[in-house]
Amino acid sequence: MLDHELINRTLSTALSTGAEFAEVFVEDKKSSSAMLDDGRVEELTSGRDRGAGIRVVVGDTTGFAHTADLSEAGLAGAAEVAAAAARGGGGGTRTVSVGSHGTSAGATAKIPPEDVAKTVKVELLARADAAARAEGSQISQVAARYGDSRRRILVANSDGLLAEDDQIRTLFSVSCVATGDTGLQTGRESVGRTIGFELFEETDVTELARRAANRAITKLSARPAPSGTMPVVVGPGGGGVLFHEACGHGLEADLVAKSASVFADRVGEQVATPLVTLIDDGTMAGEWGHFAIDDEGREAAHNVLIDRGVLTDYMWDHLRARKQDRPSSGNGRRQSYQHLPMVRMTNTYISNGEDDPDDIISGTESGVYVAQLGGGQVNTATGDFVFGMTEAYLIENGEIGDPIRQGNLIGNGPETLRLIEAVGNDFAMGSPGTCGKDGQGVPVGDGTPTLRVKALTIGGTAA
Amino acid sequence: MAGRNGSTNTHLLDVATRVAGWADRGEQVEVFVAEELETEVRAYAGEVESFTSARSQGIGVRVVANGRQGYAYAGTLDPAALSETLQEARDNASFAEADEFNGVAEPDGVDPVEFDLFDPSLDDFSTDDKVALAVELERCTLGADQRIAGIETAEYADTRCESAIATSTGITSTSRETGCYLATYAMAEAAGETQTGFGYSIGRGPESLDVELAASEAAERATRLLGATKPQTSKLTVILDPWVTAQLLGIIGGTLSGDAVQRGRSFFADRVGEQVAVDDFCLVDDATNVDAFTASAVDGEGLATRPNSLIDSGVLRGFLHNSYTARRGATSSTGSAVRAGFKGAPGVGSQALALRPGTHSQQELIAGIDDGLLVQGVSGLHSGVNPVSGDFSTGAEGLRIRKGALAEPVREITIASTLQRILLDVTEIGDDLQWLPMSAAGVSLVVADVMMSGA
């Protein structure tokens, strides 16, 4: 993507104020999307973002600048700004020679989306629209969206690292509105993979549309959600959001380093019931949070964070790992070349337990079954977290009963981990997500088998 | 308003006008061009943790031909990228389906308000001064209260944005603005328990920033939650802090967009002229209000912004429109086209919402409540609120109100109702209207019969 000599000269400029570490991150991203709404293919959008971010580290100070100008002058200008921002004194000249190590991965897509005619993409939307509307006259509105992106990155740093990756992602979503005597309700389904257009060989968009439509129709007869604390069973796949919020963010080393996490200083401790093994794994080929190298050039890794209830490690990026004199765990990610990397999750999941999912439900006298979760949010310093339920049912006498309306659940991370009392053997990955932290969004995946939390607080309106 | 940066502004308009001028016969082209300079300084442990300096620019092009619309963008103003982007938008349009109401905006004779959102003193504010402010903010936050044990972030940030819009229908507009803020996120600790609170100060230029205010607000918000426990579930009256009210108004604003209404995604559809809120509820969206941090003389399509009364004395007056929803609804644009940068075509939405304030301070409102809850912060609005159905459920933290006074702090609770009911359950609106760094002003809002879910 960039000439090696030019990279070396840029890194030397970045080191000119005496920095101990400098890095060039180059990104060339092409995106395209098509949107159907209100029965029509409304608009196709395509765009290109290309540029470089230059990071310079002196002691505990990081200087950062970015530019869309990849010429020698543009890169030198950004390197000087970043270097000036991180003045370490000393100065002098250091030459850099990149290329001594690092991974270079090519695109793994079988069918690159850019090779697929726009008419083919648009036709998917129309099929989804028709399938959703055919589910019932209650379906009053359908929006379907197709999106793909190809993100080529190059990372080079003053340690000599040079690594490249070519990341292709494809996404499809359907959102339906159902109208009835009780008002309007919504249902959404999405699928996203780090693969090309072959996504649609394994995913039937009409099936996706039917599920979204039925979710909206089912919710028309939903009762107000209960309020108060009770057992909650989360269906396969969806529960990943719960762990993403309950403890995932709290295990990010940047927050731990500032003691802004309830999990700080707790490695080696039993933080969850022995049923819980939590893994963050950027190597899961095809999953939404997958990549060959992270945005600091480190290879993706399979990291066990909680092993049978015992906290084994945090997630690390370059900066935080360097301070602890340990390797990064491949969790340094950024939204784009315009952003500084920080510790982020990739694909975060709970591995299979031994319980039969049917037994988990039938063993619940009364409570709530959450079939689909929405997003969530956590305050890592207190551990309090929320997540939304976008499809949920009451459990009465061990059976799934009436649907309930949308709302949030709230709990406390460390407490919730100690209240996981059943983990099923039906592991599944959940829907593609965008994790937001500090204003940056990155694609993440998650997964869980069916599981039961002894007590969570349901944010409903019914007494 | 003349300024040293007028030339850059002209440059952006030149680019936009040039590209719009490439429109073919029978084709409409709208060009949005933007340039932004940003600085962000974070302080930690008395040092600069990170210093980011960035200049970014980009172009977004919308093409409408034969009723079909396409859009393309590029994160550069490189001459080669301009024509490529137009070509790509044209190509995209050819794959969309025709809609008779598609089109870019046409000049409507409404003059934009004249105001100055650009503080030239930001250009003279040195890097060293910015660093000093961030470091001072961290120091003040840590020193604001003995129980402040640490900070998550303390930062100074500023931005200097310029943009231009030109269309083949004859619209040309430019805007430029500056903004800067201080934000700090404090952690308070007592008896092994941690609570957090944020504080901020915002303005067009550095003189308006108040370090002490941001620091003391963060410290107060964090420390007053220390000792918080999870209360029993009950139905009660809540006071939403201005910050929370502003977030609620933002969601209600979304349901009043002409787009949501026309596509059957708003529970307000067909209700114009009806009583949808209590008598005291008067909601206006007005980007011409210079006090709003989201103030703007022109909207995302280059038309003049204007004050729009949405709910007056509880009666629904109308919806917000851009040029598309106006044509489709056989009405006029309300100057409510909004766009999130150059990466997408303009949508329609609220820009600067405010409720008409009442006459009582928050303290007086508290004094009038026997058993209630002051909601200091909410979480998970994106996951627990459904603006289509109106279901409203959010994580919350705050202080109980007992016999007219603030009492013990509470945490790990949710509050729930529906948006429809909240509007009818408002019993009082405070006098403490304040513009916040979002597209709405905050004010203390008293809402009865809200379910607080706890133990």
Side-chain angles (χ1 to χ4, degrees):
Chain A
M1 293 176 76
L2 219 57
D3 174 68
H4 289 191
E5 285 309 310
L6 175 55
I7 294 170
N8 289 338
R9 287 195 296 275
T10 305
L11 286 170
S12 294
T13 305
L15 293 168
S16 62
T17 55
E20 56 235 42
F21 177 81
E23 173 195 73
V24 179
F25 175 84
V26 187
E27 180 182 50
D28 187 354
K29 184 176 180 183
K30 286 181 177 173
S31 318
S32 90
S33 66
M35 178 83 191
L36 176 145
D37 195 3
D38 213 17
R40 279 183 317 104
V41 176
E42 289 208 308
E43 185 182 84
L44 283 78
T45 295
S46 49
R48 184 163 186 194
D49 289 291
R50 187 165 160 265
I54 295 173
R55 173 162 67 141
V56 175
V57 180
V58 178
D60 287 334
T61 300
T62 297
F64 182 67
H66 62 78
T67 177
D69 179 359
L70 296 182
S71 71
E72 173 114 34
L75 290 167
E80 279 165 16
V81 171
R87 280 175 301 232
T93 312
R94 252 175 83 193
T95 54
V96 179
S97 178
V98 297
S100 52
H101 57 284
T103 301
S104 285
T108 49
K110 239 170 70 189
I111 309 173
E114 55 200 324
D115 295 348
V116 177
K118 289 176 184 173
T119 43
V120 177
K121 298 174 181 176
V122 160
E123 197 248 340
L124 288 172
L125 299 173
R127 281 173 50 209
D129 182 54
R133 289 179 190 273
E135 283 306 288
S137 57
Q138 303 99 317
I139 296 299
S140 53
Q141 191 56 278
V142 179
R145 184 177 179 277
Y146 164 89
D148 63 53
S149 68
R150 178 173 186 182
R151 179 182 191 243
R152 293 168 61 215
I153 60 169
L154 176 153
V155 191
N157 68 33
S158 54
D159 298 339
L161 175 122
L162 177 69
E164 291 184 67
D165 197 6
D166 191 344
Q167 301 163 355
I168 289 178
R169 290 192 168 85
T170 306
L171 181 75
F172 196 90
S173 68
V174 185
S175 304
C176 298
V177 181
T179 305
D181 297 339
T182 52
L184 309 175
Q185 281 295 345
T186 57
R188 185 171 189 274
E189 274 288 334
S190 61
V191 60
R193 307 258 294 150
T194 305
I195 59 175
F197 206 74
E198 65 269 26
L199 173 66
F200 303 102
E201 289 171 358
E202 57 184 64
T203 302
D204 180 359
V205 295
T206 61
E207 176 52 33
L208 204 69
R210 280 193 285 274
R211 285 207 303 271
N214 282 310
R215 175 163 294 136
I217 293 169
T218 300
K219 282 160 73 180
L220 284 176
S221 55
R223 289 163 47 169
S227 47
T229 298
M230 61 198 70
V232 173
V233 178
V234 181
V241 178
L242 191 160
F243 288 93
H244 180 106
E245 305 298 350
C247 59
H249 280 296
L251 299 178
E252 294 167 341
D254 47 353
L255 296 167
V256 170
K258 291 184 171 179
S259 294
S261 167
V262 277
F263 293 100
D265 302 321
R266 298 195 60 192
V267 169
E269 289 182 29
Q270 186 87 32
V271 296
T273 59
L275 301 171
V276 177
T277 291
L278 178 74
I279 295 159
D280 182 83
D281 189 353
T283 71
M284 297 173 86
E287 294 304 335
W288 190 238
H290 166 69
F291 45 77
I293 57 164
D294 73 3
D295 300 327
E296 301 180 309
R298 183 94 194 168
E299 279 179 52
H302 170 100
N303 295 303
V304 178
L305 305 173
I306 296 175
D307 184 10
R308 286 160 291 176
V310 177
L311 179 59
T312 49
D313 202 357
Y314 303 115
M315 289 170 276
W316 301 83
D317 64 0
H318 174 88
L319 209 60
R320 259 53 67 160
R322 199 177 62 121
K323 264 195 193 173
Q324 300 292 317
D325 198 23
R326 53 154 292 157
S328 158
S329 59
N331 289 92
R333 305 182 68 189
R334 52 181 125 202
Q335 180 176 309
S336 79
Y337 75 88
Q338 302 188 348
H339 298 88
L340 269 173
M342 58 182 151
V343 186
R344 304 304 295 265
M345 284 175 259
T346 63
N347 301 295
T348 314
Y349 66 92
I350 296 289
S351 56
N352 254 339
E354 288 170 5
D355 295 313
D356 182 329
D358 293 338
D359 293 344
I360 296 177
I361 295 163
S362 63
T364 309
E365 183 62 25
S366 86
V368 164
Y369 180 81
V370 185
Q372 190 194 40
L373 279 79
Q377 190 176 339
V378 63
N379 180 335
T380 55
T382 65
D384 287 351
F385 70 99
V386 294
F387 64 89
M389 46 178 186
T390 50
E391 181 185 349
Y393 303 84
L394 292 174
I395 300 177
E396 286 160 320
N397 302 316
E399 286 185 10
I400 292 177
D402 291 340
I404 55 177
R405 296 184 67 140
Q406 185 170 341
N408 265 327
L409 285 81
I410 192 163
N412 179 268
E415 275 171 38
T416 300
L417 291 184
R418 288 192 294 266
L419 294 173
I420 308 290
E421 54 179 12
V423 176
N425 55 12
D426 56 345
F427 176 83
M429 287 299 283
S431 303
T434 299
C435 169
K437 176 177 172 183
D438 226 350
Q440 293 192 45
V442 296
V444 294
D446 53 57
T448 52
T450 296
L451 56 91
R452 184 169 66 225
V453 186
K454 194 175 177 185
L456 277 172
T457 300
I458 315 285
T461 55
Chain B
M1 172 86 199
R4 73 184 73 181
N5 305 292
S7 58
T8 312
N9 221 357
T10 314
H11 162 68
L12 293 180
L13 186 60
D14 285 349
V15 171
T17 311
R18 181 148 44 98
V19 177
W22 294 336
D24 285 339
R25 183 193 289 269
E27 175 186 79
Q28 290 187 331
V29 174
E30 170 194 81
V31 185
F32 175 76
V33 181
E35 185 168 68
E36 186 170 13
L37 284 172
E38 287 170 289
T39 311
E40 183 196 273
V41 191
R42 292 194 168 188
Y44 192 70
E47 304 280 339
V48 176
E49 181 185 24
S50 68
F51 186 105
T52 300
S53 169
R55 177 192 180 123
S56 54
Q57 45 181 217
I59 178 171
V61 179
R62 172 160 64 146
V63 168
V64 179
N66 303 316
R68 299 161 186 257
Q69 174 166 312
Y71 194 85
Y73 66 87
T76 172
L77 295 182
D78 202 46
L82 304 181
S83 55
E84 270 172 39
T85 307
L86 174 63
Q87 277 308 337
E88 188 63 24
R90 265 184 193 139
D91 189 55
N92 283 337
S94 68
F95 292 94
E97 289 176 58
D99 180 339
E100 58 178 309
F101 305 115
N102 271 339
V104 307
E106 313 252 353
D108 65 357
V110 180
D111 289 327
V113 291
E114 299 257 339
F115 54 26
D116 189 9
L117 307 174
F118 191 94
D119 184 341
S121 74
L122 189 59
D123 285 344
D124 302 327
F125 197 53
S126 75
T127 297
D128 287 344
D129 288 338
K130 294 175 187 182
V131 167
L133 258 188
V135 171
E136 174 71 359
L137 176 63
E138 192 208 13
R139 197 187 60 76
C140 279
T141 307
L142 289 170
D145 189 293
Q146 281 184 341
R147 294 165 293 176
I148 300 300
I151 60 145
E152 245 183 89
T153 53
E155 69 176 27
Y156 163 89
D158 62 47
T159 167
R160 183 178 176 290
C161 280
E162 302 192 20
S163 64
I165 298 172
T167 68
S168 58
T169 54
I171 286 174
T172 54
S173 79
T174 59
S175 63
R176 59 176 195 162
E177 62 181 287
T178 54
C180 55
Y181 69 83
L182 292 169
T184 178
Y185 203 66
M187 292 186 283
E189 229 177 82
E193 173 209 358
T194 301
Q195 292 294 342
T196 60
F198 69 91
Y200 70 95
S201 176
I202 184 168
R204 298 275 168 207
E207 288 92 70
S208 43
L209 298 182
D210 187 337
V211 175
E212 293 289 341
L213 177 79
S216 60
E217 194 171 275
E220 197 202 332
R221 282 175 169 267
T223 53
R224 73 179 182 176
L225 288 177
L226 283 169
T229 53
K230 189 173 178 119
Q232 291 298 310
T233 298
S234 67
K235 199 168 248 192
L236 40 62
T237 297
V238 302
I239 301 183
L240 304 181
D241 211 39
W243 187 270
V244 177
T245 303
Q247 289 172 278
L248 172 70
L249 293 182
I251 294 168
I252 290 169
T255 68
L256 293 168
S257 104
D259 190 67
V261 170
Q262 289 170 359
R263 289 157 197 260
R265 292 197 180 94
S266 172
F267 52 79
F268 282 124
D270 307 320
R271 298 201 60 196
V272 172
E274 289 181 32
Q275 189 86 26
V276 298
V278 293
D279 285 342
D280 289 339
F281 201 93
C282 299
L283 181 67
V284 173
D285 185 42
D286 182 9
T288 69
N289 185 336
V290 74
D291 294 334
F293 293 106
T294 48
S296 176
V298 291
D299 76 351
E301 292 184 306
L303 293 180
T305 54
R306 53 210 82 175
N308 292 302
S309 168
L310 297 169
I311 297 174
D312 188 19
S313 301
V315 175
L316 180 61
R317 305 295 304 170
F319 303 114
L320 297 169
H321 290 288
N322 61 9
S323 68
Y324 170 86
T325 63
R327 276 188 293 270
R328 183 168 168 173
T331 177
S332 319
S333 170
T334 57
S336 303
V338 291
R339 63 199 309 160
F342 57 84
K343 293 191 183 180
V348 52
S350 55
Q351 298 166 93
L353 289 165
L355 276 178
R356 190 174 71 196
T359 53
H360 295 297
S361 67
Q362 188 182 79
Q363 203 164 359
E364 288 165 346
L365 297 176
I366 291 167
I369 295 172
D370 188 50
D371 178 33
L373 171 71
L374 173 66
V375 181
Q376 172 175 313
V378 290
S379 62
L381 284 175
H382 63 300
S383 59
V385 181
N386 185 328
V388 178
S389 67
D391 288 328
F392 179 93
S393 165
T394 174
E397 58 189 20
L399 300 156
R400 285 301 304 270
I401 300 169
R402 296 186 191 280
K403 297 193 177 6
L406 288 179
E408 78 277 10
V410 291
R411 54 165 276 268
E412 207 192 323
I413 53 169
T414 59
I415 53 169
S417 180
T418 64
L419 295 172
Q420 296 93 323
R421 284 208 47 184
I422 287 172
L423 294 179
L424 294 166
D425 285 341
V426 168
T427 56
E428 292 232 47
I429 299 171
D431 68 354
D432 49 351
L433 184 99
Q434 49 188 283
W435 285 98
L436 298 171
M438 56 181 96
S439 62
V443 62
S444 292
L445 191 69
V446 185
V447 186
D449 279 333
V450 171
M451 182 60 87
M452 174 180 74
S453 195

